[in-house]
Amino acid sequence: MPSEQVYSLLFQSRDTTSSLYILFGGIVDPVASRIERFEVVAVGNSELINIPLSGATFKDITNVCQKIKYEGKQLKNLTNKLQELFQTSGRSDDFMEQLIHYINKREDEKIRYLINQVGNQAMGNTKPDISLWYSLVDRDKIEEAGSSRPSFETLDAEEAPAVVPDEAPVIPVGVPTGVDANIPANATRIQFKFILSPVSGIPVNQLRPGDQIVVQLIGSDPATLGIIDVMKLKMEDGSIKPVPATIVATENKGVENETVIKIGNDIFGKIYEEENSIKVRPYTGEKPAAAKGSTSSASAASSASLEAGESSLLLTVLIALGVVGIGMVAVFVFLF
């Protein structure tokens, strides 16, 4: 393999459960056995990295990543953490030996496994969907944008190529589509999960804008952790108190559902569910049933304890009186 050729390694990682999405572009030198250059960004909006990898170049991915960072739409702390991790991995002999071996053998699943191991160090134990694209390129062509379309950085209506009927149209970078279009650009995005109610809940595919439900925030990213702290949702045992939320938008795709919720004026979240059968607890303005149950249980326990104490005292008094009575009868018989 000529030393002037390198691998262009591109991937997208999509974890719809936590709404964490990663775009990565790197140059792998198979002779020096290191990641020579790379660009990575983490976002909470999947549409920001909705770029077809097939035919894309390292330059294309670099342009998109830099554009997201410039506009401040990245998850900064997570992006910085991934930057450090891939930099460390790119200098690790063991990691690079495996990566280059798997690329040479085109063992995509093992490449995905390696990538996920790095991602899990930053995001916890996740199982994202990872899309890969890698190819051998001449070193002097690294800075070239994709030949099939203009650079994403300079794409405009005048230069945009005609859409081929058999191909899906390319979505302009940074333009939210679907339910994401209902989330304001300056909104704080949080991660959450539905609180379920199998008996009296609303099926997730029947939720409508304006419905009020109960959700629980998931502290897996800096933005959500900040909201949990501000709203004082973390309890002494470490659990997170549920909160009411309003449905902003929903989209049903057969058995799949995407839902956008709002908490307050500028706190939004999006969740992806693969099942229509789950039922979400509606918010009725009442305190959580668990809290009521805890209070009732405590009161019942207190009452039972009080009644038991009173019964024990009464029994003791009766026994004492009985003993005294028997003693008086014995004395009377003995004397007379």
Side-chain angles (χ1 to χ4, degrees), residues 206-328:
Q206 294 181 20
L207 291 171
R208 297 292 180 266
D211 288 348
Q212 289 195 305
I213 60 170
V214 182
V215 303
Q216 184 180 53
L217 273 59
I218 302 173
S220 58
D221 65 285
T224 306
L225 287 171
I227 297 301
I228 289 173
D229 289 340
V230 170
M231 297 180 69
K232 300 186 185 331
L233 299 179
K234 195 166 188 177
M235 304 175 72
E236 292 182 359
D237 62 359
S239 60
I240 307 300
K241 290 189 289 187
V243 294
T246 302
I247 301 296
V248 175
T250 63
E251 185 175 359
N252 178 258
K253 302 175 181 177
V255 296
E256 302 172 348
N257 294 274
E258 285 186 308
T259 308
V260 171
I261 59 122
K262 179 173 71 171
I263 301 173
N265 293 325
D266 57 356
I267 303 172
F268 288 74
K270 188 184 83 167
I271 193 169
Y272 172 86
E273 287 291 347
E274 295 182 341
E275 298 181 15
N276 286 333
S277 58
I278 68 169
K279 292 184 177 181
V280 183
R281 181 188 300 176
Y283 176 66
T284 60
E286 299 176 355
K287 292 182 179 179
K292 287 184 177 180
S294 299
T295 304
S296 299
S297 298
S299 299
S302 177
S303 298
S305 177
L306 181 58
E307 290 173 3
E310 291 174 346
S311 299
S312 177
L313 178 60
L314 179 59
L315 182 60
T316 302
V317 171
L318 290 174
I319 293 173
L321 290 174
V323 172
V324 171
I326 293 170
M328 291 178 66

Side-chain angles (χ1 to χ4, degrees), residues 118-143:
V118 177
N120 282 349
Q121 293 180 58
M123 300 180 293
N125 188 22
T126 62
K127 295 181 180 179
D129 177 28
I130 299 177
S131 302
L132 283 174
W133 180 264
Y134 51 92
S135 59
L136 201 59
V137 297
D138 294 334
R139 184 178 294 279
D140 58 3
K141 294 183 178 180
I142 292 176
E143 294 302 323

Side-chain angles (χ1 to χ4, degrees), residues 84-95:
E84 295 172 5
L85 291 170
F86 277 110
Q87 190 167 27
T88 301
S89 298
R91 295 172 180 171
S92 166
D93 292 339
D94 182 58
F95 179 88

Side-chain angles (χ1 to χ4, degrees), residues 33-185:
S33 188
R34 66 190 178 97
I35 298 178
E36 186 175 282
R37 299 164 55 185
F38 72 91
E39 191 73 50
V40 64
V41 68
V43 296
N45 181 351
S46 64
E47 301 300 339
L48 293 175
I49 64 164
N50 193 18
I51 299 105
L53 297 182
S54 176
T57 67
F58 171 72
K59 180 65 174 177
D60 294 332
I61 302 304
T62 297
N63 288 339
V64 175
C65 290
Q66 291 179 349
K67 177 180 174 65
I68 291 171
K69 292 176 181 179
Y70 176 77
E71 295 176 347
K73 294 180 179 179
Q74 84 276 25
L75 298 175
K76 191 171 182 180
N77 289 346
L78 182 54
T79 297
N80 290 342
K81 183 64 176 177
L82 289 168
Q83 187 90 19
E84 295 172 5
L85 291 170
F86 277 110
Q87 190 167 27
T88 301
S89 298
R91 295 172 180 171
S92 166
D93 292 339
D94 182 58
F95 179 88
M96 292 306 303
E97 182 180 353
Q98 293 183 70
L99 179 62
I100 293 173
H101 175 74
Y102 296 148
I103 290 177
N104 288 336
K105 297 293 184 179
R106 305 194 70 82
E107 298 186 51
D108 292 359
E109 285 306 313
K110 293 182 178 180
I111 297 173
R112 291 187 180 96
Y113 175 80
L114 277 181
I115 290 171
N116 195 36
Q117 292 307 298
V118 177
N120 282 349
Q121 293 180 58
M123 300 180 293
N125 188 22
T126 62
K127 295 181 180 179
D129 177 28
I130 299 177
S131 302
L132 283 174
W133 180 264
Y134 51 92
S135 59
L136 201 59
V137 297
D138 294 334
R139 184 178 294 279
D140 58 3
K141 294 183 178 180
I142 292 176
E143 294 302 323
E144 292 184 4
S147 58
S148 62
R149 60 187 180 280
S151 166
F152 291 106
E153 189 177 49
T154 59
L155 182 65
D156 57 33
E158 189 173 288
E159 294 176 314
V163 177
V164 179
D166 293 334
E167 297 180 355
V170 177
I171 299 174
V173 175
V175 179
T177 61
V179 294
D180 286 283
N182 294 275
I183 302 178

